[in-house]
Amino acid sequence: MFVDRLVESIKSKKNPSVVGLDPRIEGIPGYMLEKAYREFGKNLKGVSMAVYWFNCGLIDGLRDIIPAVKPQMAFYECLGVDGIDVFHKTVKYARDKGLLVICDGKRNDIGSTANAYSKAFLGMADLGENEKTPVFDVDALTISPYLGYDGIKPFIEDCRSYGKGIFILDKTSNKSSGDFQDLCTYNGKSIYEIVAEKINEWGESLMGQCGYSSIGAVVGATYPNQAKILRRIMRNSYILVPGYGAQGGNGDDVVPSFNSDGLGAVVNASRSIIFAYKNSIYADKYDEADYVCAAREEALKMRDDINRALEKKFG
Amino acid sequence: MFVDRLVESIKSKKNPSVVGLDPRIEGIPGYMLEKAYREFGKNLKGVSMAVYWFNCGLIDGLRDIIPAVKPQMAFYECLGVDGIDVFHKTVKYARDKGLLVICDGKRNDIGSTANAYSKAFLGMADLGENEKTPVFDVDALTISPYLGYDGIKPFIEDCRSYGKGIFILDKTSNKSSGDFQDLCTYNGKSIYEIVAEKINEWGESLMGQCGYSSIGAVVGATYPNQAKILRRIMRNSYILVPGYGAQGGNGDDVVPSFNSDGLGAVVNASRSIIFAYKNSIYADKYDEADYVCAAREEALKMRDDINRALEKKFG
């Protein structure tokens, strides 16, 4: 079951943080882009191959210290078919190296269509006459809840059948997340609280041996006060916490998403880690060819920051 | 501007309905699948190529009577990289044949990531040093609103720059759509009404010469009473209406989404058209090799059903 594998990896690496593989072209080292342009042309294929090399470097350099990577689909989709190919290759590469892969796709649709998305990421595609094949085959996927339960159910079923997980958007990390998520309903609860109650309820059917569910939630590091409330509502949900680092969240901000056992949440940072070599604090130490070393140093700093904050709070 | 091209095409074809290209393997004619298996293998490539032939047949057979097609991303994603390749080829084929393409992706993410999705479908991807290239380059994309305005803004900007359109999910056609969309807020408005007010407001910045906005909404045919309310709130938004046909909606159900000018909405049907040859009413008339003829007959029936209902209501 996904959540047991996640918790085991978090415990063995003593690290509740994951790294977002969100490769923006402006962050890829110039030498890497130029080599890819020379070999594949200055086109989507060229950029995609540079992304793949960039990702492989990060995976090799971080695999022993992080439990999972979180590739963001948008950054692969915007490179077209070649980008999707590199997304798929990245997933395989990361899993082969022992990392869990949480795909940040925020997919959502009505029942039968949600089922097709679920097949793409978690389950198996139909080849006719009862032959099936895995497709992208990630370990977990993020899901948007706006369409309600029948759009979530197919994913839950595949989580059960294939040992996968989902993280359902609840209170997202962005500035405008309150536009609809914070709306207060007639009974005094906000939308994010009602979504959380549903996530908690749906999660009960898929509890792992670790005491947490493979049906998790997304709660941004940028909203620690809401996280406190949500942690209480979703006692057994694993919470994926984006918004650490470039978006402004720090170790103390993510603590409310954890339980007193020091578990229950996994924190993501993307830009601040993978493009750390561009950070002025590393300017004298690393150049672009050392991007993996800079990422590793920053990832260790993040791990220690979160563990220190957890230690302070829970002892 | 997208909405002007859509209205022009709806008027010239006297047809406010579009066909969803949602190719499920169980609906693809057997002879087509077998040919693709022989040529490409019984794998995702084989199924994808059968999907492509199936789509091209439909596009050729329907192009003179419908204004647009609506491919559903989930059915291409669940065929992996080959499926995305065939999605891209289908988009090109349909646009070359003069059809508008509304991609049903329901994409959503926070600002900078939404920007990457927008580049993928509506705008241009960055190749470095100010070189850009279109990626999937559809005419319009469906969007999920859960993350609020900063997740919508990048799409609106690309709509403006590249003459594209978006349809934002408001009240979806599925049974569970009420789980969150129908929740009543403290001021007595439901979430779908508040989302509609925002869609209306955002749409004002992108009005076409036809009097409608390129920022549209999705309202299911299965909820005609809610559609009446939403039509009043979003007076100038073009409304994409799924749920006709296989999901249960008929001509009378979609009328509330239109304005008295007979415009303002475009109705989608997928399964009932593209797999019409499997419908028992056509069993004596068409076999699987005639799937395009069956689809055409059903598409004309749908057009006439909607036009008759509009005529009855608005004269």
Side-chain angles (χ1 to χ4, degrees):
Chain A
M1 183 172 279
F2 167 71
V3 73
D4 289 325
R5 286 182 286 138
L6 178 65
V7 167
E8 192 186 311
S9 190
I10 287 172
K11 281 181 175 173
S12 77
K13 286 167 175 166
K14 297 185 176 56
N15 187 359
S17 73
V18 302
V19 170
L21 297 178
D22 303 4
R24 299 156 200 255
I25 186 174
E26 64 271 22
I28 296 172
Y31 74 93
M32 214 170 230
L33 262 180
E34 277 150 36
K35 180 168 184 288
Y37 286 156
R38 276 195 308 275
E39 283 185 37
F40 303 99
K42 194 169 182 178
N43 49 37
L44 294 174
K45 173 81 176 171
V47 179
S48 298
M49 288 309 296
V51 162
Y52 183 57
W53 299 335
F54 181 71
N55 285 348
C56 291
L58 289 168
I59 291 164
D60 289 337
L62 299 171
R63 55 181 288 220
D64 59 320
I65 57 167
I66 57 171
V69 288
K70 183 177 79 67
Q72 164 55 257
M73 278 307 283
F75 293 104
Y76 301 89
E77 250 173 45
C78 82
L79 299 174
V81 176
D82 295 308
I84 300 296
D85 189 39
V86 155
F87 162 74
H88 193 192
K89 290 193 170 92
T90 298
V91 171
K92 279 188 193 159
Y93 193 85
R95 297 188 80 198
D96 284 349
K97 300 280 176 164
L99 288 169
L100 292 167
V101 176
I102 301 167
C103 172
D104 198 350
K106 298 185 177 62
R107 294 303 192 248
N108 62 149
D109 216 294
I110 66 170
S112 59
T113 308
N115 187 42
Y117 276 130
S118 184
K119 282 177 181 172
F121 292 98
L122 308 176
M124 309 260 263
D126 195 1
L127 294 176
E129 292 154 27
N130 295 321
E131 274 188 57
K132 289 177 188 296
T133 181
V135 187
F136 297 127
D137 202 20
V138 300
D139 296 287
L141 178 69
T142 60
I143 304 287
S144 194
Y146 190 69
L147 288 90
Y149 181 62
D150 70 33
I152 307 278
K153 195 174 161 227
F155 294 103
I156 295 179
E157 283 166 2
D158 279 340
C159 285
R160 182 174 295 113
S161 302
Y162 299 101
K164 307 290 191 178
I166 51 174
F167 293 95
I168 302 171
L169 300 189
D170 186 3
K171 175 67 187 167
T172 56
S173 60
N174 57 317
K175 279 212 175 84
S176 308
S177 72
D179 283 357
F180 305 121
Q181 297 163 23
D182 287 3
L183 289 173
C184 184
T185 63
Y186 67 94
N187 63 8
K189 289 176 187 167
S190 62
I191 297 298
Y192 66 76
E193 287 173 292
I194 294 172
V195 171
E197 287 173 354
K198 288 285 182 187
I199 294 172
N200 189 55
E201 180 190 322
W202 299 332
E204 281 166 17
S205 67
L206 219 65
M207 296 294 294
Q209 295 180 325
C210 62
Y212 287 96
S213 173
S214 285
I215 312 302
V218 175
V219 178
T222 41
Y223 297 103
N225 293 329
Q226 289 86 336
K228 265 181 226 168
I229 298 165
L230 293 170
R231 180 72 279 176
R232 279 197 297 267
I233 298 174
M234 302 182 287
R235 231 165 252 289
N236 304 312
S237 308
Y238 233 85
I239 298 179
L240 173 63
V241 185
Y244 183 99
Q247 289 184 57
N250 62 38
D252 293 321
D253 294 328
V254 304
V255 167
S257 291
F258 286 80
N259 277 320
S260 56
D261 59 1
L263 293 170
V266 63
V267 183
N268 178 74
S270 304
R271 280 167 282 180
S272 61
I273 308 281
I274 67 175
F275 306 137
Y277 77 94
K278 292 192 145 208
N279 188 325
S280 58
I281 63 166
Y282 294 123
D284 294 339
K285 196 166 175 188
Y286 299 121
D287 69 16
E288 60 172 24
D290 307 315
Y291 76 98
V292 174
C293 300
R296 190 178 169 92
E297 185 165 335
E298 195 65 22
L300 289 170
K301 210 187 275 182
M302 177 181 173
R303 177 195 71 185
D304 295 342
D305 176 39
I306 296 170
N307 283 336
R308 198 159 33 227
L310 288 173
E311 181 77 18
K312 196 172 79 184
K313 173 83 179 176
F314 302 119
Chain B
M1 184 173 276
F2 168 72
V3 72
D4 289 324
R5 286 182 287 137
L6 178 64
V7 167
E8 192 186 311
S9 190
I10 287 172
K11 281 182 174 173
S12 75
K13 286 167 175 165
K14 296 184 176 56
N15 188 358
S17 72
V18 301
V19 170
L21 297 178
D22 303 4
R24 297 156 201 258
I25 186 173
E26 63 272 22
I28 296 173
Y31 75 92
M32 214 168 230
L33 262 181
E34 278 150 35
K35 181 169 184 285
Y37 286 156
R38 276 196 307 276
E39 284 185 37
F40 303 99
K42 193 169 183 179
N43 49 37
L44 294 175
K45 172 82 177 172
V47 179
S48 298
M49 287 310 295
V51 163
Y52 183 57
W53 299 335
F54 181 71
N55 284 349
C56 290
L58 289 168
I59 290 165
D60 289 337
L62 298 170
R63 53 180 289 219
D64 59 320
I65 58 167
I66 57 171
V69 288
K70 182 177 79 67
Q72 164 55 257
M73 277 308 283
F75 293 103
Y76 301 88
E77 252 173 43
C78 82
L79 299 173
V81 177
D82 295 309
I84 299 296
D85 189 39
V86 155
F87 162 74
H88 192 193
K89 289 192 171 92
T90 297
V91 172
K92 279 189 195 159
Y93 193 84
R95 296 188 81 200
D96 283 349
K97 299 279 176 164
L99 288 169
L100 292 167
V101 176
I102 300 167
C103 172
D104 198 351
K106 298 184 175 63
R107 294 303 193 249
N108 62 148
D109 216 294
I110 65 169
S112 59
T113 309
N115 187 42
Y117 276 131
S118 185
K119 283 178 182 174
F121 291 99
L122 308 175
M124 309 260 262
D126 195 0
L127 294 175
E129 291 154 29
N130 295 321
E131 272 189 59
K132 289 177 188 295
T133 181
V135 187
F136 297 126
D137 202 21
V138 300
D139 296 288
L141 178 69
T142 60
I143 303 288
S144 194
Y146 190 69
L147 288 89
Y149 181 62
D150 71 33
I152 308 279
K153 195 173 162 228
F155 295 103
I156 295 179
E157 283 167 1
D158 278 340
C159 285
R160 181 174 296 112
S161 302
Y162 299 101
K164 305 291 189 178
I166 52 174
F167 294 94
I168 302 170
L169 300 189
D170 185 3
K171 174 66 186 166
T172 56
S173 60
N174 56 318
K175 279 210 176 86
S176 307
S177 71
D179 282 358
F180 305 121
Q181 296 162 25
D182 287 3
L183 289 173
C184 184
T185 62
Y186 66 95
N187 63 10
K189 289 176 187 165
S190 62
I191 298 297
Y192 65 76
E193 288 173 291
I194 294 172
V195 171
E197 288 173 353
K198 288 286 183 188
I199 294 173
N200 188 57
E201 180 191 321
W202 298 333
E204 281 166 17
S205 67
L206 219 64
M207 296 294 293
Q209 293 180 327
C210 62
Y212 287 97
S213 173
S214 286
I215 311 302
V218 175
V219 179
T222 42
Y223 296 103
N225 292 329
Q226 288 86 336
K228 265 182 227 168
I229 298 164
L230 294 170
R231 180 71 279 177
R232 279 198 296 269
I233 297 174
M234 303 181 285
R235 232 166 251 288
N236 305 312
S237 308
Y238 232 84
I239 298 180
L240 173 63
V241 185
Y244 182 99
Q247 288 184 58
N250 62 37
D252 293 321
D253 292 329
V254 305
V255 167
S257 291
F258 287 81
N259 278 320
S260 56
D261 59 0
L263 294 171
V266 65
V267 183
N268 179 75
S270 303
R271 280 167 282 180
S272 61
I273 309 278
I274 67 174
F275 306 137
Y277 78 94
K278 292 194 144 206
N279 187 326
S280 58
I281 63 168
Y282 295 122
D284 293 339
K285 198 168 173 184
Y286 299 121
D287 70 14
E288 59 171 25
D290 306 316
Y291 76 99
V292 174
C293 300
R296 189 177 169 94
E297 186 166 333
E298 196 65 23
L300 289 170
K301 210 187 275 181
M302 177 181 174
R303 176 196 71 184
D304 295 343
D305 177 38
I306 295 169
N307 283 335
R308 200 160 31 228
L310 288 174
E311 180 78 18
K312 195 171 82 185
K313 173 84 178 176
F314 301 119

